Amino acid sequence: QVQLVESGGGLVQAGGSLTLSCAATGIIFSINTMGWYRQAPGKQRELVATIATAGSTKSADSVKGRFTISRDNAKTTVYLIMNSLKPKDTAVYYCYLGQRFADYWGQGTQVTVSS
């Protein structure tokens, strides 16, 4: 079983910054992908950014240049540094881990950006 524990959400003014963290515990295989998705009210969950064990990344066009994803493989922790936040970034952010055809999700952390 895998558990994902997120931290770092909150309320910030437009233009501000936040850093999200997610620690994975349980049976974690050496090859996996971790990352973040988000879901705004009334919208579908969407990719924010992911990072594989080897370091390759994917990110949504809407966050490129503003958000940075990184990971600490020794700690099985993934980070999302969010700069230049905009009100449209307001959403519940979910941590994700994918390995061996199984997907795992955190409970979500609220990020609210005020204008």
Side-chain angles (χ1 to χ4, degrees):
Q1 188 68 308
V2 173
Q3 293 183 328
L4 303 174
V5 179
E6 301 135 329
S7 61
L11 173 65
V12 64
Q13 288 188 331
S17 300
L18 281 175
T19 297
L20 304 183
S21 301
C22 173
T25 59
I27 300 175
I28 311 297
F29 295 108
S30 60
I31 299 175
N32 59 68
T33 297
M34 296 187 74
W36 297 90
Y37 286 70
R38 67 186 181 187
Q39 187 167 17
K43 295 188 176 182
Q44 291 187 329
R45 190 173 298 189
E46 63 176 6
L47 168 74
V48 177
T50 59
I51 182 167
T53 310
S56 59
T57 62
K58 293 182 180 179
S59 61
D61 288 342
S62 60
V63 306
K64 286 180 179 177
R66 300 188 298 123
F67 292 9
T68 302
I69 190 168
S70 64
R71 65 184 289 165
D72 181 335
N73 288 330
K75 296 180 180 179
T76 56
T77 300
V78 64
Y79 306 94
L80 185 70
I81 301 172
M82 305 185 291
N83 296 319
S84 303
L85 282 161
K86 305 175 181 180
K88 66 179 182 179
D89 294 317
T90 295
V92 177
Y93 283 69
Y94 294 92
C95 182
Y96 164 83
L97 185 147
Q99 61 179 12
R100 296 202 178 182
F101 309 110
D103 296 329
Y104 301 92
W105 297 93
Q107 292 192 331
T109 185
Q110 177 70 45
V111 172
T112 302
V113 184
S114 63
S115 57

